[in-house]
Structures are given as C-alpha cells and as structure tokens.
Amino acid sequence: MHKRLYIPGPVEVRQDVLDKMATPMIGHRTKEASALQQSISEKLQKVMGTKNKIVLSTSSGSGLMEGAVRCFTAKKAAVFSIGAFGDRWYKMCTANGVPADLFQSELGQITTPEMIDNALKTGEYDLITITQNETSTGIRNPMEKLAEVYKKYPDVIVCVDTVSSMGGDYIPVDELGIDVCITSTQKCLGLPPGMSIASVTDRAIEKAKTIPNRGLYFDYVELVKFVDEKPYQYPSTPSESHMFALDYQLDRILEEGVMNRYERHVKLANIVRDWARKNCELYSDPDNLSNTVTCITNTTGIPFAELNKAMQAKGYLISNGYGALKDKTFRIAHMADTTEEEINSLLKDLEETIAELKAQTKA
Ligand SMILES: *Cc1c(COP(=O)(O)O)cnc(C)c1O
C-alpha cells in the first residue's frame, strides 16, 4: 500500500506530474533543451519574485548550498543557524576550508536582527547564510526584519535557504535583497527529489570570479556561464526528467497563483497548529511558526514509533523529530499540493489513532 507522505520532503507528487518524468529524452545540447531550460527559468523567476539568473543543479539542495559558501566567500562567512539545516551549512564551510563562524539561536527561536547587526558591524564577514524556514523545528525567520539590517551592509553576499518553503511560503527574493536563494524540487514545489534551484545576482557572480578553488560541479560561475553563453544549458548532463516535470508543474503553480498558494499554505498551517494546541503542544516560538511544516511536542504519552506504526497501517507517513528532538517531537508537513480536505482527514485519523493507543495502554 502506498503511504501518503506528510513528511517534510519528499512530498506527495501528483500523478500527472509523475507522468511528465516519463517524457522521452532529448539531446542536452539541442535548441529544444535550451528552450526547456529557458521556460523553466522564466517561470521560476515569477514564483521567486526575482529578475536574477536562475541556475539548476542535478543534485538535491545541499549541493547548491555547499557551492554557495565555497563560491562567494572571500573573507569569512557568518552562518546564522536556527537548527539542523543551519548547522549543516556551517559544516559545509568547514569541510571545504571556507572560514566561517556559527551564530546559533536556541532551538525553536529565530535569528534576530541584532544578531546579524552585531556580526556584520565587525566588518569581518563578506557572506551570511540564513535559513528562511527551518524544517527541523518548524520555525520561520522574519526575513523582512532581517533584510532591514543586512541591507545596511551592501558588500555582504546574502545566501538564503528556502529549501522547505519556496513555492509554498511568500518569499519575494528581490524585495528582500537576497543574492543567492536556494530551493529543492521535493518540498513545496511538489516534485520528486533530485534537482535543485538557485537564483543568483550578477554582483555575486562577479565576486565569485575573483575567488579561487570554487570547485567545479557546484561552481556558480560555470552554471551561469552555460545559462548566458549556450544559452540556457547545463555544464554536464542534467536530469531532463525533472526538467520536463518542473516545467509542467510550474504552470500549475502559476495557474494557482503565487499568493493563492501562499494563502493555502497559511490556511493548512493554521489547521495543523489548532490541532496541535488541542491535542499536544507546539514546539517553536508561536510568533514565528513555519507555514509549511509544524513541529509538535509529543505530550500524548505514546512513543512516536508506536504512533507512526499505527498511522502507517492506515496509509499515512508522518515524521519523527529531527536530531536532538527526535523522540521529543514529531512533524507534520503541509506542503506543495496538499489540500485542506487531505490535512483534515490526516488529523482526524491521527486523533483517532492516539485515542485507540491510549485505550490499549489502559486496558
Ligand atoms: C530538506 C532541507 C535541506 C536539504 O535539502 P536537500 O534537497 O535534501 O539537499 C536544507 N535545508 C532545509 C531547510 C531543508 O528542509
């Protein structure tokens, strides 16, 4: 039996989108390939609210995250972490010999404007990384407030992880002054895992050209060169299957409308939060909750493994906590093409399952 996915990636993919993955291959150096990549790029610019260049990567988002700190840091990176994925960005710096400092918030809390200001006013850093939506704790950074601060430092390259939010949450890249905005296909965009996307400013690329040892596969200069000169191609052989499906799915996303999609995600998030307040507790800062994934403190007394097993038998997959929160919390994703009806039926079955397991424990 297929278990419907309510984990924070990969997400459930609609059958018509899956079918597009089976489109016959084309030559990757043909005009057809260029037209496909150009079409994807122009649609993504609309979804992301940017005029910046779009690069694709046949890798999950981690590849472009690693490439970003390597390509755009000349002095030192300031990594602002609000959980596991921010910490990962710091590990990518150290693993690549990129000088970096880690600025961690308490789990479940945001990066504050003061943290960014205090770091940047030292003049030590020429790149910052921010996690817009931290999937491990279900918390969302207040980007408008953070942007007010980092915009005071125009020489700093701003890299933002929107892997678990772009295509669901509202993230106007150009308004927010984001130089490098990274996302993956398998979360809010509603596609299979295996491709990732970044928007990148010209000034970031000009800077990268002066930086040695950028690597090759995730070198943004190389990726942009193939967009500019070929044009709209990929340095090696891209996952064409993803590109066919992405081009198709972006039409669906634009048909729904970026703001409507955002509002649907907010609505779903509110339903899940209400359920969590009634049946358990919310883990993170209530003023900055994620619109795409909810992290719930498990106060049911039932070990999550047991709950998960019972839910799987009913055809659902939800997620345990991440890292340090593995046993303490569980997570429900409300991403991509999920409907209100689907979320309501998941939550109803979850509530019933908790009641059944509690009754068994008592018996
Ligand atoms: C999933 C996720 C990642 C990792 O992305 P991959 O596409 O799996 O490499 C990074 N950051 C956040 C916030 C995520 O949710």
Side-chain angles (χ1 to χ4, degrees):
M1 180 182 58
H2 173 66
K3 296 177 197 90
R4 282 197 79 78
L5 299 181
Y6 292 93
I7 57 174
V11 299
E12 204 58 36
V13 180
R14 303 182 87 100
Q15 190 59 48
D16 53 338
V17 177
L18 283 177
D19 290 346
K20 289 290 166 188
M21 295 286 287
T23 307
M25 295 305 120
I26 58 175
H28 70 301
R29 293 287 171 246
T30 60
K31 287 211 169 75
E32 248 177 306
S34 291
L36 177 62
Q37 190 168 330
Q38 181 171 3
S39 165
I40 291 169
S41 302
E42 289 171 0
K43 291 171 196 171
L44 280 168
Q45 285 174 325
K46 289 186 189 148
V47 171
M48 299 173 79
T50 185
K51 293 195 169 64
N52 295 335
K53 301 235 161 76
I54 302 289
V55 296
L56 304 178
S57 173
T58 297
S59 69
S60 74
S62 301
L64 285 176
M65 287 169 68
E66 184 161 346
V69 288
R70 196 165 166 165
C71 288
F72 304 116
T73 313
K75 286 196 289 187
K76 201 182 206 186
V79 175
F80 294 94
S81 172
I82 51 172
F85 289 103
D87 293 351
R88 269 264 279 286
W89 226 339
Y90 179 70
K91 281 186 201 145
M92 288 168 180
C93 292
T94 53
N96 283 282
V98 173
D101 286 327
L102 177 62
F103 299 89
Q104 279 174 312
S105 301
E106 229 175 275
L107 280 185
Q109 301 297 321
I110 56 167
T111 299
T112 63
E114 294 73 33
M115 287 170 79
I116 295 185
D117 211 14
N118 287 338
L120 292 186
K121 74 183 171 204
T122 65
E124 273 184 65
Y125 307 99
D126 63 338
L127 178 141
I128 61 172
T129 75
I130 298 171
T131 311
Q132 188 267 342
N133 189 72
E134 175 54 62
T135 320
S136 61
T137 53
I139 188 154
R140 174 186 196 261
N141 257 325
M143 287 304 297
E144 300 77 12
K145 288 185 195 145
L146 303 187
E148 277 175 31
V149 175
Y150 62 66
K151 280 180 178 173
K152 293 195 299 183
Y153 302 91
D155 294 337
V156 173
I157 298 293
V158 178
C159 300
V160 180
D161 172 352
T162 65
V163 171
S164 60
S165 46
M166 186 58 80
D169 206 342
Y170 177 61
I171 311 155
V173 169
D174 288 354
E175 258 177 67
L176 293 169
I178 301 171
D179 287 286
V180 186
C181 184
I182 299 167
T183 194
S184 303
T185 47
Q186 79 277 13
K187 299 192 185 177
C188 292
L189 293 171
L191 293 144
M195 183 161 262
S196 52
I197 295 151
S199 68
V200 57
T201 52
D202 292 338
R203 70 177 198 129
I205 293 298
E206 288 314 308
K207 180 181 177 189
K209 286 177 183 166
T210 68
I211 293 170
N213 302 321
R214 299 187 303 268
L216 190 62
Y217 192 72
F218 298 113
D219 178 12
Y220 281 73
V221 175
E222 187 80 354
L223 288 164
V224 164
K225 191 172 148 202
F226 273 73
V227 170
D228 283 342
E229 292 175 15
K230 294 299 172 179
Y232 289 104
Q233 288 190 0
Y234 188 70
S236 50
T237 322
S239 171
E240 293 180 342
S241 307
H242 279 89
M243 291 171 72
F244 292 126
L246 179 56
D247 191 44
Y248 173 82
Q249 172 72 344
L250 285 166
D251 280 336
R252 296 190 37 128
I253 292 173
L254 292 169
E255 247 164 60
E256 181 180 4
V258 174
M259 282 319 274
N260 290 337
R261 207 170 159 88
Y262 163 65
E263 279 160 18
R264 175 167 56 77
H265 279 79
V266 170
K267 200 165 184 186
L268 296 179
N270 278 322
I271 294 172
V272 178
R273 289 170 200 163
D274 286 346
W275 183 94
R277 285 190 197 99
K278 181 172 156 227
N279 292 278
C280 293
E281 274 168 29
L282 287 167
Y283 180 77
S284 290
D285 171 11
D287 294 329
N288 293 287
L289 294 171
S290 164
N291 289 323
T292 64
V293 57
T294 297
C295 182
I296 301 167
T297 305
N298 184 4
T299 56
T300 62
I302 302 157
F304 178 73
E306 242 174 82
L307 188 55
N308 198 14
K309 202 170 138 205
M311 285 301 282
Q312 287 189 48
K314 294 182 182 182
Y316 298 105
L317 192 66
I318 56 175
S319 182
N320 58 4
Y322 194 102
L325 303 173
K326 203 168 175 63
D327 298 319
K328 200 178 157 200
T329 64
F330 63 94
R331 292 171 300 158
I332 296 175
H334 25 90
M335 291 181 180
D337 295 323
T338 308
T339 64
E340 211 175 313
E341 208 179 353
E342 286 165 346
I343 277 291
N344 281 328
S345 84
L346 165 80
L347 295 174
K348 183 168 158 277
D349 279 345
L350 187 56
E351 199 164 329
E352 276 170 21
T353 306
I354 291 169
E356 282 160 20
L357 291 173
K358 276 185 181 165
Q360 276 174 28
T361 321
K362 274 188 201 137

